[in-house]
Amino acid sequence: MALETPAPPRRSAPGSKNTAGLDLEELRQLWLKPLWLVLSEAFSPEPRTDIVPHIWKWSDVRPRILEAGRRISAEEAERRVLMYLNPGLNGDPGATQTLFAGIQLIMPGEIAPTHRHVPSALRVVVEGNGAYTTVSGEKTLMRPGDFVTTPNWAWHDHGNETDEPMMWLDGLDMPFVLALNAMFYEDLVQGKGSEIQPVVRELDDSQLRYNRGFRPHNDRFTGNYSPVLNYRFDDVRETLFQMDRAGDATSDEEGVMLDYINPLTGGPTLPTIDSHAQLIRSGEHTRAVRDTASRIYHVLDGRGASIIGGRRMEWEKGDTFCAPTWSWREHTVESSASPAILFSFDDAPIQKPFALYRRQVLLEGNGRQSSLS
Ligand SMILES: [Fe+2]
């Protein structure tokens, strides 16, 4: 049976546009269309996006992922993850147009079998203590707030040998990879069998080698990602408070903020995703900042509020929220509250090599979004 060519989509041109008497229906049948009818849509003066600011409350997510843990085994689900969907994406996976976020649960005694994929991934532990992730033969035991990387095409598996559920936020560049139609995925073992990769390096080997201001002499590491597997939250917190005591200069923009880096380059830990932690101090209200990166925040500690693109979102520990491209964002913590720590990851590394990245700080007035003053 001959395959029929699908009919081109019918989209009526805006009435005010000049069709120049051309037969649009005939052009449509030929898969042609005048650019001038859509020029201002495509070449907008500033970035446009379907992504909307949104918050996923931990108080909503936690009972539902635990319910999923009762209803489906990790083996049946393969990956027991609840995806965080952006309401602007009509149900497609993605918390933004480039970044995926989801909450993963591993119950005591369970494993997530070894696999690899080209999307780069990161984990931030929300609850649980001591479950493991193994990446490329190195194993790490994860504690709350820890940041664990999984590079492009690296074999990885997870397991929980503790007696409590383990939940972490997954962050991936999966929507970006899907948009490029560049996905590859592979299981280590087809069907049933040994689904855990052999551990060939000592526990936290990469932290000792690379995260202390040293690197091995004659190092043979050639990856375009950080060789460090786990960035400990205790270290992040200690550094943020030290920066605060020292009166760090970034505090008038986005609070006291640090970047997770590849210690070999000073750049981001993953080639497509940059990650940060920031301290929002008691009584602080950060200046409004926007950039062309889309961004996902996760609350590591404390409570406060963020105003993203004019929308105010109250948050507390465990919540996750997103900031669309080019939307003003500011963060605040009440004077009576404890300092808060926000983790965030963004797609800026995808934009920077192509001169697509721009950033702006609101300097007028009090540096806040005017609709809220
Ligand atoms: Fe994975």
Side-chain angles (χ1 to χ4, degrees), residues 79 115-117 121 123 150 156 158 172 185:
R79 232 75 63 214
H115 63 282
R116 62 182 176 177
H117 38 68
R123 335 272 166 204
T150 307
H156 56 286
H158 315 285
L172 289 89
Y185 174 93

Side-chain angles (χ1 to χ4, degrees), residues 123-145:
R123 335 272 166 204
V124 177
V125 178
V126 184
E127 257 189 56
N129 203 335
Y132 70 83
T133 283
T134 304
V135 179
S136 303
E138 180 182 347
K139 187 173 182 176
T140 187
L141 302 180
M142 301 187 290
R143 301 195 285 258

Side-chain angles (χ1 to χ4, degrees), residues 132-207:
Y132 70 83
T133 283
T134 304
V135 179
S136 303
E138 180 182 347
K139 187 173 182 176
T140 187
L141 302 180
M142 301 187 290
R143 301 195 285 258
D146 284 1
F147 167 82
V148 175
T149 58
T150 307
N152 177 325
W153 211 235
W155 291 114
H156 56 286
D157 56 86
H158 315 285
N160 186 353
E161 293 162 344
T162 76
D163 56 8
E164 56 182 338
M166 186 83 179
M167 288 169 269
W168 63 75
L169 182 78
D170 279 326
L172 289 89
D173 59 8
M174 184 177 80
F176 171 65
V177 174
L178 288 173
L180 295 175
N181 296 349
M183 179 66 77
F184 287 92
Y185 174 93
E186 190 176 12
D187 286 312
L188 180 63
V189 175
Q190 302 298 323
K192 298 292 156 211
S194 171
E195 294 172 322
I196 300 175
Q197 67 179 304
V199 175
V200 296
R201 296 164 69 183
E202 284 196 20
L203 207 61
D204 293 327
D205 175 78
S206 64
Q207 280 188 63

